[in-house]
Amino acid sequence: MDLIPHPRHAAYVTDDGFTLRPGTVLDVGPGAERAGRWVRSVLGAATGLEFPAGEPGPDGAVRLAVDATVPGGPEAYRITVDPQWGVRVTGAGPAGVFWGAQTLRQLLGPEAFRRAPTAPDRRWRVPAGHLQDAPRFGWRGFMLDVARHFMPKDGVLRYVDLMAVHKLNVLHLHLTDDQGWRVEVGRYPRLTEVGAWRTRTKVGLGAPDVWDERPHGGYYTRDDLREIVAYAAERHITVVPEIDIPGHSQAAIAAYPELGNTDVVDTAALPVLTGWGVNPNVLAPTEHTLRFYENVLTEVLEIFPGTFVHIGGDECPTEQWRSSPAAMERVAELGLRDAGELQSRLIRHFDRWLAERGRRLIGWDEILEGGLAPGAAVASWRGYAGGIAAARAGHDVVMCPQSHVYLDWRQSEHPDEPAPIAHARTLEDVYRFEPVPDELTPREAARVIGTQANAWTEVMDSVRVVDYMVFPRLAAFAEVAWSALPPPAERDWPGFERRMSAHYARLDALGVEYRPPAGPRPWQRRPGVTGRPKAGPPPIV
Ligand code: ACM
């Protein structure tokens, strides 16, 4: 049936099945309520069927139920389709029922991915059979950088839906960076009044300095974020907010200049950054900075109920600290060896601060330098090494090496790639990505709680470009994260490509402007957007 991600076990009788009718009852058992609401609203809209509540009768029904004996953990599910009795989706827990409902949508055909029926007399038939499925990883993440280019709320909600289609369950929102601050903070209104806007934007990452010469910006109100969190939770997706410190913070410094290293830089003159790259203007290592970010995070915790809070920690140049008498005084006061240790001090402060509030810190792999509290987790982006070291040190790891799953990297060497940065990373490369490196022992490997694909948006200035860069590669990534695939060299790439032809029809019905297998469509070209390799190693294949 060309399912993506591929289920563990499936057996169909494709010439027989159960046909949904206008009167087909939807029987929602205890614990399956969210899946029930989703079926009624989303599949109801696509099919035009009402899915009335009621007891299953002799005409068959769609039943959604929780049964903890379904093997494979709380997200596991089973689907049975009988021509007479109908469809039964049974999850080991509520999330399992929801993922089973996503599979049911694929079984109904690509038209089930539209928002309204296109033919009134279409028969909605589910092939008879039996299917059993469970995810490989508990953290199946997707990161959206809404700081470099703001994505309006509606686009984020759409991406939540696209994640659900692919059984991804962690949305990491990169909410702050040098180029923009996107989360409203009641106590510090200038973070969005000033920090959410820049005067212009550098076009592309390539050498010529070309600017678009128009303002860019936007931010989410607290209610927008509460809506996103609730909309995601309804789909069994957790939102992880990222507030990046102490680097990637120029938008905050532009709003509140006292956050910067005022004794070496005229921070009052710093704008929200309009170009790209690793930036020397980092937070000052002061008590004031700590209190400021504690106050910010206090509001962030009120909005985001999930366990993990991402505090960034990546790419923090220490030059300003080294030349700042105030920072070096702080180094002496704290008895540190050098300015580099200020970074780990800061991270460990928030590690403790979050732990005291029942949360867990996650950060980019630079946070390993200097030692971490045991509860902290590491997102390994500079290849696998950080993740390996973290797993060996007993930390949970989310594997997201830039060499494999940075979805801003170009998709081919084609001269018309619309966002031609870094190295080519094809759909097949992503399909052959293995999150757990061979050198880990089974005990260490168990520390890899999951994997994540990251969409950085320096050269993605609209949802259309994000769609192009993210798809179809996110479909391959979803299969890596969900399905128990064999080692990379043994993966059935031709089989995946074949299933993708069915999946493209689903993406078309959803209105996703993916990269076609043959290369960019003529209107997807963006002449003038230039690229060069981002920092990092050449391709690993
Ligand atoms: C990163 O790409 N700087 C996490």
Side-chain angles (χ1 to χ4, degrees):
M1 286 309 295
D2 297 334
L3 300 175
I4 286 183
H6 201 271
R8 295 249 164 132
H9 307 286
Y12 302 103
V13 191
T14 43
D15 59 356
D16 202 356
F18 177 76
T19 300
L20 303 177
R21 294 179 197 83
T24 299
V25 159
L26 179 68
D27 177 35
V28 180
E33 293 83 2
R34 278 179 270 179
R37 286 192 288 271
W38 182 87
V39 166
R40 214 162 257 136
S41 61
V42 177
L43 295 187
T47 60
L49 301 171
E50 298 276 335
F51 292 108
E55 292 295 312
D59 292 337
V62 176
R63 298 171 178 83
L64 306 176
V66 171
D67 175 353
T69 67
V70 173
E75 295 187 285
Y77 68 91
R78 193 162 58 208
I79 298 180
T80 313
V81 181
D82 177 271
Q84 189 181 353
W85 298 110
V87 179
R88 180 188 284 274
V89 179
T90 313
V97 192
F98 184 76
W99 304 130
Q102 300 308 308
T103 299
L104 173 62
R105 189 186 201 181
Q106 295 197 8
L107 293 172
L108 283 167
E111 296 85 354
F113 291 77
R114 295 189 180 273
R115 294 191 195 192
T118 52
D121 52 353
R122 191 184 185 285
R123 287 180 72 224
W124 297 97
R125 203 179 75 138
V126 194
H130 181 80
L131 190 149
Q132 182 144 352
D133 201 7
R136 178 179 178 195
F137 292 110
W139 181 305
R140 304 180 300 280
F142 172 62
M143 189 211 78
L144 203 48
D145 169 10
V146 293
R148 268 54 174 275
H149 279 98
F150 179 64
M151 183 184 279
K153 179 193 77 180
D154 198 49
V156 177
L157 296 173
R158 176 173 170 274
Y159 262 84
V160 170
D161 280 328
L162 292 173
M163 288 176 67
V165 165
H166 294 86
K167 301 187 173 75
L168 298 172
N169 68 345
V170 178
L171 172 61
H172 166 181
L173 286 179
H174 182 74
L175 288 167
T176 71
D177 213 303
D178 297 314
Q179 297 84 3
W181 182 283
R182 308 289 175 219
V183 46
E184 178 189 45
V185 177
R187 188 167 177 145
Y188 301 119
R190 285 174 60 84
L191 284 172
T192 45
E193 286 168 7
V194 174
W197 309 95
R198 60 178 182 256
T199 53
R200 60 178 190 168
T201 300
K202 186 166 188 289
V203 179
L205 292 187
D209 271 348
V210 179
W211 307 82
D212 69 358
E213 302 303 352
R214 58 184 173 148
H216 176 83
Y219 66 92
Y220 310 107
T221 66
R222 283 167 288 181
D223 275 348
D224 289 340
L225 291 166
R226 288 189 187 102
E227 180 186 0
I228 290 168
V229 166
Y231 190 83
E234 186 71 9
R235 286 150 184 79
H236 296 276
I237 293 170
T238 302
V239 185
V240 173
E242 180 184 352
I243 304 295
D244 205 339
I245 56 168
H248 290 287
S249 300
Q250 190 168 320
I253 297 169
Y256 292 95
E258 67 273 21
L259 291 172
N261 295 287
T262 52
D263 57 346
V264 288
V265 182
D266 177 13
T267 56
L270 285 179
V272 176
L273 196 64
T274 57
W276 312 115
V278 177
N279 176 20
N281 296 310
V282 302
L283 296 176
T286 60
E287 286 296 325
H288 173 74
T289 298
L290 296 181
R291 297 294 91 74
F292 185 97
Y293 275 87
E294 286 169 4
N295 291 334
V296 167
L297 287 171
T298 297
E299 293 194 25
V300 166
L301 297 191
E302 284 166 12
I303 297 168
F304 296 91
T307 304
F308 281 101
V309 174
H310 202 302
I311 48 72
D314 57 323
E315 298 180 323
C316 180
T318 53
E319 286 80 25
Q320 284 187 2
W321 293 343
R322 288 176 207 284
S323 57
S324 153
M328 292 317 289
E329 210 170 284
R330 182 90 169 148
V331 168
E333 192 182 298
L334 295 170
L336 306 179
R337 273 195 316 259
D338 59 29
E341 281 193 21
L342 287 168
Q343 148 97 348
S344 62
R345 271 300 172 120
L346 194 78
I347 300 300
R348 276 191 287 165
H349 174 84
F350 285 104
D351 188 7
R352 255 195 328 274
W353 189 91
L354 287 167
E356 283 162 13
R357 284 153 186 81
R359 306 295 185 100
R360 291 177 64 188
L361 177 147
I362 182 167
W364 303 111
D365 56 66
E366 286 94 330
I367 67 170
L368 269 175
E369 295 154 15
L372 271 182
V378 170
S380 186
W381 76 278
R382 296 178 298 177
Y384 288 97
I388 292 169
R392 291 191 171 144
H395 295 288
D396 284 345
V397 173
V398 175
M399 278 292 184
C400 51
Q402 58 173 347
S403 49
H404 294 70
V405 284
Y406 264 33
L407 300 182
D408 56 330
W409 288 31
R410 67 176 76 202
Q411 305 202 56
S412 79
E413 301 291 357
H414 198 290
D416 289 337
E417 281 297 334
I421 69 172
H423 304 286
R425 190 55 71 241
T426 65
L427 181 62
E428 181 171 356
D429 292 333
V430 175
Y431 192 62
R432 294 192 192 278
F433 163 56
E434 172 49 49
V436 180
D438 282 343
E439 55 259 63
L440 293 183
T441 65
R443 197 186 155 89
E444 292 161 353
R447 286 293 185 184
V448 181
I449 58 172
T451 181
Q452 184 169 293
N454 296 336
W456 298 100
T457 59
E458 289 98 326
V459 296
M460 298 186 210
D461 58 359
S462 73
V463 173
R464 299 185 80 168
V465 184
V466 174
D467 270 15
Y468 178 94
M469 295 305 291
V470 168
F471 289 101
R473 292 183 294 186
L474 197 67
F477 172 77
E479 185 147 309
V480 168
W482 177 280
S483 307
L485 295 179
E490 295 161 34
R491 290 185 189 168
D492 179 11
W493 165 247
F496 178 76
E497 261 193 313
R498 200 168 47 246
R499 282 182 289 120
M500 274 307 291
S501 43
H503 202 65
Y504 287 123
R506 297 177 195 128
L507 296 177
D508 283 330
L510 286 163
V512 174
E513 296 184 310
Y514 54 84
R515 180 189 192 277
R521 301 167 171 107
W523 57 263
Q524 287 173 321
R525 291 177 198 145
R526 295 159 82 218
V529 178
T530 53
R532 62 158 186 240
K534 292 174 83 170
I540 301 167
V541 273

